[in-house]
Amino acid sequence: MGSLPIAVSGSTVNGGGCRWWGWCNKNNSSGKTGSNGSGSSDSCAISSAFVFFLVSFVCLASIAGLYCRVLLPPNVHTTLSSLGCNEDNEGSWSIGVYYGDSPFNLKPIEEANVWRNKTAAWPVANPVVTCASASGASFPSNFVADPFLYVQGDIIYLFFEAKNSITMQGDIGVARSTDKGATWEQLGVALDEDWHLSYPYVFDYNGNIYMMPEGSAKGDLRLYRAVKFPTEWKLEKVIMKKPLVDSFIIQHDGKYWLFGSDHSGIGAKKNGQLEIWYSSSPLGPWKPHKKNPIYNTDKSKGARNGGRPFLYDGHLHRAGQDCGETYGRRLRLFKIEALTPTEYKEVEVPLGLKESMKGQNAWNGARSHQLDVQQLSSGEWVAVMDGDRVPSGDVNRRFILGCASVLGVVMLVIVFGMLLGAVKGLVPLSWCPHNVGKRSDASFDWERSSLLSNRMRLFCSRLNRASSSLRARIKPKTCSGGLVLAVIFIVTVVLMCTGVKYIYGGSGAEEAYPLNGQYSQFTLLTMTYDARLWNLKMYVKHYSRCSSVREIVVVWNKGQPPELSELDSAVPVRIRVEEQNSLNNRFKVDPLIKTRAVLELDDDIMMPCDDVERGFKVWREHPERIVGFYPRLADGNPLKYRAENHAREHNGYNMILTGAAFMDSKMAFEKYWSNEAAAGRAVVDKLFNCEDVLLNYLYANASSSSTVEYVKPAWAIDTSKFSGAAISRNTQTHYGLRSSCLQKFSEMYGSISSRKSEFHHRNDGWDV
């Protein structure tokens, strides 16, 4: 007995032709021999529809695979921890530190220029505590959020929610800092219950330290007392039989006030509800405010608490969450003007924190929902804030969009097959085709008499005729028909890549890569002139959005410099106008550069931010080296300068082009402007070339170890070819000048031909 067709069919119902998926058998109902008299089944070859779908699948899969390989950034989190930092639908929260002379003038730690020592790529940059911080301390976490501070003299403790990667519930973690939050020692899990915990509000009362975490999953609000601070806590009391979320207790006018949200009540609006209770003690009993609920409004209004309230200039201030666009989108700050058992009034005031213009490349580019700010004994204010680069539910959203894109691909492939004539039918005209052998009388009668069956056959018949009708209308063999086919193919490829990006490409953020759990930033420096302004505008707009770029310095060699307003930048831009048009200006000592790391990058090179971030991580591993993206091998007798292909043929390199390279700004620039390098600088000015070759020689001459390191970019584009403002248009002449420089510099500083670094020596494969 044959099989029931349930998919696309290229045959008629009664005929013996093949179904689209391949082989088929044709037997008569009596079991006698077939027409060939051999007694065997009559087989037929694979149909054109099957071949079409197979080729389409292979072609689209290859394109999608190439797209993934070349254009999609790697998942940075896979490099952070083998246990934690998994993609989580709640987000990828992390914690940053801010400083200021008031709670309304807070700046991130990177702007405070905090240095611990000279042995790594500092100053410190946010975020300072991440999922990797917790996971590295043996409590694997997908994210860290809800930070609260507790200050004891010069020691700062940080309590936070850590989303456990194994149990998938929140635990309370704790860390300690002795340098005002620049670095944190993870102390472990402070509190772990059988239910989800978050929002660990910590405060003093009567000589004891208490924690009141959110545990609404348990259905009540609990108060814990420190037995051995900060890692051992004991349940002191269930202070309220209500599942309040994000609650805090403050003392004001001789009473204790409890603020929290109960989303479980009938008619309560989630993230838009707030209640107040008061008592003579944090242990209760608690009486409700006369106006409860204080708020039951739109979730964007800031009703849900967003951290610890603070007192400034004689006024209490409360932080609230704006959850309008997504959960925890941003913080709103309110000044409390009246707080009594019968009255409550607050007005919104500016928070004073600028949102990042780097979008999802910023650690807090998508949302930030909790702030704790406290004053230190020195008078300085310190704050912690959590942030995320993706909105809530991002994983589910991307999966749905990806599946929708793939479904669109399937539909377009079918339409494409119809136009080519490879797909002639979509569905069978009958539930039980006549060539499948015996059928029961009941099923046959149902098929003939059922209204549903009749309508289905009519629908399928019309649908199957769509193929011929479509071909008749579009006529694929004509020019217009061919254009339609080309458009369908392009749209299919775009949809396929879009679907792959949504499903496998992660959030799309090109994140910073930490080194030993620490983030930092670098200065981006480029040299240009008036004829290349088009390049510069595109360059600044793109690279200023990279996660670790702190500032862009433009060395302006010739012509009228642009106004800063002409440049679309997410970071500060400084234009340094030079008096003389010299390539030596590239490495001029610049005391205004605040970072140790500088990326010298020509304004006509465009590459993904992820490649830049990987190069920065490699440089921080070897800050004494030049780390870049374009390797060269100078060899031969006499020495010759040749392209990267030559280096790869000989499996090694001894130079890195500094037109795309990281270096130590102090070390590199002082070497270049030393008395020793004066003769080399004169050669550069004479030939208007070879400044990068000279720096490679100076590095090599000052070290007996490896001085260069290569990182392979996924792709890079030379935009000068589009603007027509390339510096070196004649490659042969350019290489000839550089070969001459090699010989001159070898006489001055010694040969570098023996200093050969091999490709593919890194374990991460970034130098293939």
Side-chain angles (χ1 to χ4, degrees), residues 284-391:
W286 295 94
K287 297 179 182 180
H289 195 281
K290 184 179 179 179
K291 291 188 176 181
N292 274 351
I294 302 299
Y295 294 123
N296 193 30
T297 183
D298 183 82
K299 59 186 178 181
S300 66
K301 300 300 182 181
R304 182 169 177 172
N305 292 322
R308 185 191 306 271
F310 61 87
L311 183 67
Y312 184 72
D313 199 19
H315 293 280
L316 274 175
H317 295 80
R318 182 186 72 89
Q321 299 183 39
D322 178 349
C323 299
E325 299 174 23
T326 182
Y327 168 67
R329 170 63 186 90
R330 67 185 180 96
L331 284 168
R332 302 178 68 172
L333 191 63
F334 303 90
K335 182 173 69 174
I336 299 175
E337 296 189 330
L339 177 57
T340 70
T342 59
E343 185 181 4
Y344 181 76
K345 181 182 179 182
E346 65 181 12
V347 294
E348 186 169 6
V349 294
L351 181 60
L353 287 175
K354 294 188 301 182
E355 289 193 14
S356 173
M357 294 175 61
K358 294 187 178 185
Q360 62 184 356
N361 287 353
W363 73 276
N364 59 349
R367 49 185 179 154
S368 184
H369 77 342
Q370 179 150 324
L371 169 71
D372 186 8
V373 54
Q374 296 192 34
Q375 191 171 22
L376 301 176
S377 58
S378 62
E380 184 180 20
W381 291 80
V382 61
V384 285
M385 183 181 294
D386 58 9
D388 196 358
R389 55 175 34 92
V390 297

Side-chain angles (χ1 to χ4, degrees), residues 165-178:
S165 303
I166 300 173
T167 64
M168 298 304 288
Q169 73 177 24
D171 300 327
I172 304 303
V174 60
R176 175 174 57 200
S177 175
T178 57

Side-chain angles (χ1 to χ4, degrees), residues 416-565:
F416 197 82
M418 284 181 170
L419 292 176
L420 292 180
V423 179
K424 298 180 180 178
L426 290 175
V427 290
L429 298 181
S430 171
W431 296 107
C432 240
H434 299 292
N435 66 322
V436 299
K438 293 183 178 181
R439 294 176 296 157
S440 67
D441 292 337
S443 64
F444 184 78
D445 291 340
W446 177 87
E447 187 179 337
R448 287 192 304 176
S449 61
S450 170
L451 179 62
L452 176 62
S453 178
N454 288 336
R455 288 184 175 179
M456 283 298 299
R457 276 203 305 274
L458 180 61
F459 173 76
C460 293
S461 178
R462 290 175 177 174
L463 198 59
N464 286 338
R465 287 200 298 269
S467 175
S468 300
S469 176
L470 196 63
R471 285 176 54 81
R473 287 174 179 269
I474 296 180
K475 298 178 182 178
K477 293 185 178 180
T478 64
C479 291
S480 59
L483 180 62
V484 170
L485 286 175
V487 170
I488 292 175
F489 176 77
I490 293 172
V491 172
T492 303
V493 170
V494 171
L495 271 180
M496 186 69 180
C497 292
T498 301
V500 168
K501 178 181 179 181
Y502 279 129
I503 296 175
Y504 298 106
S507 65
E510 294 178 293
E511 306 177 31
Y513 285 82
L515 179 65
N516 300 324
Q518 187 69 57
Y519 291 86
S520 184
Q521 292 185 317
F522 63 87
T523 300
L524 182 62
L525 189 147
T526 190
M527 187 170 62
T528 191
Y529 60 101
D530 53 358
R532 298 164 65 87
L533 184 57
W534 179 85
N535 291 73
L536 181 65
K537 289 181 177 180
M538 184 166 56
Y539 175 98
V540 168
K541 183 175 183 179
H542 172 64
Y543 288 115
S544 68
R545 270 71 179 176
C546 296
S547 299
S548 300
V549 175
R550 176 173 178 175
E551 180 189 29
I552 297 177
V553 177
V554 179
V555 179
W556 194 263
N557 262 0
K558 185 176 69 173
Q560 181 67 30
E563 297 293 332
L564 291 179
S565 58

Side-chain angles (χ1 to χ4, degrees), residues 151-364:
V151 181
Q152 282 187 337
D154 294 331
I155 301 176
I156 302 177
Y157 293 92
L158 174 68
F159 294 87
F160 53 91
E161 173 197 352
K163 175 74 173 289
N164 191 294
S165 303
I166 300 173
T167 64
M168 298 304 288
Q169 73 177 24
D171 300 327
I172 304 303
V174 60
R176 175 174 57 200
S177 175
T178 57
D179 53 10
K180 295 196 303 183
T183 58
W184 294 90
E185 176 192 0
Q186 295 296 322
L187 302 180
V189 176
L191 188 61
D192 180 9
E193 295 284 18
D194 293 333
W195 55 90
H196 176 86
L197 297 174
S198 62
Y199 206 84
Y201 182 73
V202 181
F203 63 97
D204 291 320
Y205 176 67
N206 277 355
N208 291 312
I209 304 175
Y210 291 92
M211 180 196 299
M212 187 177 66
E214 180 204 325
S216 58
K218 185 65 175 175
D220 54 29
L221 184 61
R222 300 185 170 212
L223 194 64
Y224 296 81
R225 177 172 53 85
V227 177
K228 187 177 179 181
F229 185 83
T231 55
E232 292 185 20
W233 300 79
K234 178 183 179 181
L235 176 63
E236 184 76 4
K237 187 177 182 180
V238 176
I239 62 174
M240 190 169 292
K241 295 286 188 178
K242 286 174 72 70
L244 293 184
V245 300
D246 294 359
S247 304
F248 62 74
I249 295 174
I250 57 171
Q251 188 178 20
H252 179 70
D253 283 350
K255 292 182 175 63
Y256 286 89
W257 303 86
L258 169 64
F259 286 60
S261 300
D262 180 10
H263 298 153
S264 64
I266 298 175
K269 295 184 178 180
K270 187 174 183 180
N271 298 325
Q273 198 262 13
L274 177 66
E275 296 180 358
I276 299 178
W277 303 70
Y278 62 94
S279 172
S280 60
S281 165
L283 303 178
W286 295 94
K287 297 179 182 180
H289 195 281
K290 184 179 179 179
K291 291 188 176 181
N292 274 351
I294 302 299
Y295 294 123
N296 193 30
T297 183
D298 183 82
K299 59 186 178 181
S300 66
K301 300 300 182 181
R304 182 169 177 172
N305 292 322
R308 185 191 306 271
F310 61 87
L311 183 67
Y312 184 72
D313 199 19
H315 293 280
L316 274 175
H317 295 80
R318 182 186 72 89
Q321 299 183 39
D322 178 349
C323 299
E325 299 174 23
T326 182
Y327 168 67
R329 170 63 186 90
R330 67 185 180 96
L331 284 168
R332 302 178 68 172
L333 191 63
F334 303 90
K335 182 173 69 174
I336 299 175
E337 296 189 330
L339 177 57
T340 70
T342 59
E343 185 181 4
Y344 181 76
K345 181 182 179 182
E346 65 181 12
V347 294
E348 186 169 6
V349 294
L351 181 60
L353 287 175
K354 294 188 301 182
E355 289 193 14
S356 173
M357 294 175 61
K358 294 187 178 185
Q360 62 184 356
N361 287 353
W363 73 276
N364 59 349

